[in-house]
Amino acid sequence: MSEIVKFLATVLYYVEKKNFPLAVAFKRAYLYNKPRKIDSNLLYDYSKRLILSYYALPQGKRSFKVRYWLENKENIEIKFPNWMEEKLSTLLDINALKGKLKERCVWARINLLKTDIDKIYRELEGKNIEFESDKDFYYMIKIKKSSVRLSSLSIVKDCKLIIHDKGSSLVVEALKPEIGEKVVDLSSAPGIKASLYMMLTENRAEIFLADVDFKRLLKEYSLLKRCGVDLSKIHIIYQDSTKNSVIRSDKILLDAPCSSSGMINNDPSILLKLWDNEKIERFAKLQKSLLSESLKITANKLVYAVCSLFPEEGEKVIEDYYEIAEKPFSNYQSGYSLFKVGEKSNRTFPHTDSTEGFFISTLNLTKL
């Protein structure tokens, strides 16, 4: 018991004081305080559930909080910050959402620029990894059970299989990728969506990747290279996209910086950064600025997306563009019905789609 307490207290320290994502906090704790003879999958599950219950824990030292959680883990509730509980309760089935957060759902994408579907299926079956192919996208699979860390697999290290949430792939699919077109991505790092776009166009599209962080752009370029993307088709733009330099393109992707509240199923450490709604308001202001600037580009279509559960970052950002907004997918649920533009957008959720929580809407710029 003392080893588990020490381990979980270390995870909590990295999340609480260092602001590390859960995966990074877990990796650090596992490196320095690995308990003996305890399955790593169980440890990760404990770590995730501990962070999900953070706002239900009593005050005190981390070791005290951990002991309290271990003694009451079957009965202790998942809790969001009070303001978040109140807001989400008016928008969705919050109990269903919390129930789903206890589960671990991992999506992965077969990178057809470097391999084929049958090879990946055989590799996973050989490792006794249980998975199922996705009904919507032939290149997506859901990992149901694995006794090994996916990141340790050679096919993952070689970018033949890419850990990629299905909700994120929907953002790219909303653009309806076509061979020969030009696309500008105004907040592109880390590059997972760009690599999918190039895969879907068989490396025969041209993409302009902009980001405000130069180091992230360098990492993005490296990732695209490892993914087998034709780098002659890639143009890197180091810019603050609220002061955009791109003049024209066929299509625009604005997957805007956001609260990342839609990612709490995979990274509950985000909850510790959402103690009030001030962060949401700051992001909403930035998103509106980015969208206004992006509409100065001569293009046919713009896809606006955020990985957020909050309407301030979704419906409220595009409500002024209701007349040109279009719902990207007919087979996915609409946005929040409290907002008129909700009918012209899509939302995904952990408890309904087993994905991260995304808001997606298309703006038909030919109607401007």
Side-chain angles (χ1 to χ4, degrees):
M1 174 67 78
S2 61
E3 283 190 324
I4 295 180
V5 170
K6 185 177 181 180
F7 176 83
L8 292 177
T10 304
V11 171
L12 187 55
Y13 165 77
Y14 283 127
V15 169
E16 208 177 24
K17 292 300 180 182
K18 297 295 187 180
N19 293 317
F20 288 166
L22 175 59
V24 177
F26 181 85
K27 186 176 181 179
R28 291 286 185 93
Y30 201 76
L31 180 63
Y32 297 112
N33 288 305
K34 175 184 176 182
R36 293 169 293 178
K37 299 179 181 179
I38 300 177
D39 180 65
S40 62
N41 287 325
L42 177 63
L43 283 174
Y44 192 89
D45 179 61
Y46 276 12
S47 300
K48 178 180 178 179
R49 289 169 56 194
L50 171 68
I51 302 304
L52 283 170
S53 304
Y54 180 82
Y55 288 99
L57 299 176
Q59 295 296 314
K61 293 183 178 180
R62 293 185 192 94
S63 57
F64 172 73
K65 292 180 179 179
V66 169
R67 286 193 180 91
Y68 177 88
W69 182 83
L70 286 169
E71 291 169 2
N72 299 278
K73 63 180 181 294
E74 301 307 322
N75 300 312
I76 199 166
E77 64 176 330
I78 290 176
K79 195 171 187 304
F80 302 153
N82 290 335
W83 72 269
M84 185 174 176
E85 294 259 349
E86 294 173 7
K87 180 179 285 292
L88 292 183
S89 293
T90 67
L91 298 167
L92 50 80
D93 186 340
I94 195 168
N95 291 324
L97 172 62
K98 288 180 178 180
K100 191 66 176 181
L101 295 180
K102 296 176 183 178
E103 301 176 15
R104 193 176 183 185
C105 183
V106 179
W107 289 93
R109 166 166 62 90
I110 299 170
N111 181 10
L112 300 175
L113 291 176
K114 297 192 72 172
T115 188
D116 61 54
I117 292 174
D118 289 341
K119 286 181 180 179
I120 296 300
Y121 282 3
R122 288 196 296 269
E123 181 78 18
L124 294 176
E125 289 165 354
K127 299 288 185 181
N128 293 317
I129 295 173
E130 295 182 22
F131 65 94
E132 63 180 29
S133 55
D134 182 55
K135 60 182 177 60
D136 294 324
F137 306 128
Y138 60 92
Y139 53 82
M140 295 293 301
I141 59 173
K142 183 193 292 186
I143 306 298
K144 301 181 70 176
K145 186 177 180 181
S146 175
S147 59
V148 300
R149 287 185 298 109
L150 294 178
S151 59
S152 69
L153 298 176
S154 61
I155 54 175
V156 174
K157 292 178 180 179
D158 295 340
C159 293
K160 294 177 180 177
L161 184 70
I162 300 171
I163 308 304
H164 189 178
D165 189 79
K166 184 182 176 181
S168 175
S169 72
L170 280 166
V171 175
V172 178
E173 290 283 356
L175 282 163
K176 300 189 180 340
E178 297 178 24
I179 289 172
E181 66 186 1
K182 291 182 172 63
V183 181
V184 57
D185 184 344
L186 292 172
S187 183
S188 62
I192 296 294
K193 294 183 182 70
S195 68
L196 173 56
Y197 203 100
M198 295 305 287
M199 185 193 89
L200 293 175
T201 57
E202 302 172 1
N203 261 335
R204 289 191 281 168
E206 200 167 358
I207 191 163
F208 298 78
L209 303 174
D211 204 90
V212 70
D213 189 322
F214 187 69
K215 289 183 179 180
R216 280 165 59 87
L217 280 171
L218 291 178
K219 290 180 180 179
E220 180 174 15
Y221 191 80
S222 175
L223 173 67
L224 294 175
K225 182 178 181 179
R226 291 189 290 114
C227 287
V229 171
D230 181 353
L231 298 180
S232 69
K233 303 287 189 178
I234 300 298
H235 308 277
I236 299 294
I237 305 171
Y238 174 40
Q239 71 172 23
D240 174 354
S241 289
T242 62
K243 303 176 182 63
N244 170 59
S245 63
V246 180
I247 299 173
R248 62 176 56 87
S249 182
D250 294 312
K251 296 173 183 175
I252 304 166
L253 173 59
L254 178 55
D255 183 7
C258 67
S259 64
S260 300
S261 53
M263 294 176 60
I264 55 176
N265 57 325
N266 288 323
D267 184 13
S269 70
I270 290 164
L271 290 173
L272 276 66
K273 303 177 180 70
L274 296 174
W275 56 84
D276 60 36
N277 65 354
E278 183 180 336
K279 187 172 186 178
I280 310 302
E281 293 171 356
R282 289 200 310 270
F283 273 118
K285 184 178 180 180
L286 172 61
Q287 290 149 4
K288 289 177 180 178
S289 177
L290 286 166
L291 181 55
S292 176
E293 184 71 7
S294 66
L295 291 175
K296 297 176 184 177
I297 301 172
T298 300
N300 298 320
K301 173 191 287 191
L302 181 147
V303 168
Y304 174 82
V306 282
C307 188
S308 171
L309 299 173
F310 300 111
E312 287 84 353
E313 301 182 89
E315 289 84 353
K316 287 189 176 182
V317 173
I318 65 162
E319 61 184 350
D320 289 341
Y321 306 99
Y322 175 83
E323 296 300 327
I324 65 169
E326 297 177 349
K327 186 177 181 180
F329 303 100
S330 60
N331 59 331
Y332 281 85
Q333 62 191 305
S334 301
Y336 294 133
S337 59
L338 291 176
F339 305 89
K340 186 179 179 182
V341 79
E343 67 185 16
K344 292 190 173 185
S345 56
N346 289 114
R347 275 196 175 273
T348 62
F349 298 98
H351 61 293
T352 58
D353 306 292
S354 296
T355 69
E356 292 176 344
F358 272 90
F359 170 88
I360 312 170
S361 187
T362 297
L363 299 185
N364 186 342
L365 304 185
T366 64
K367 293 183 179 181
L368 281 176

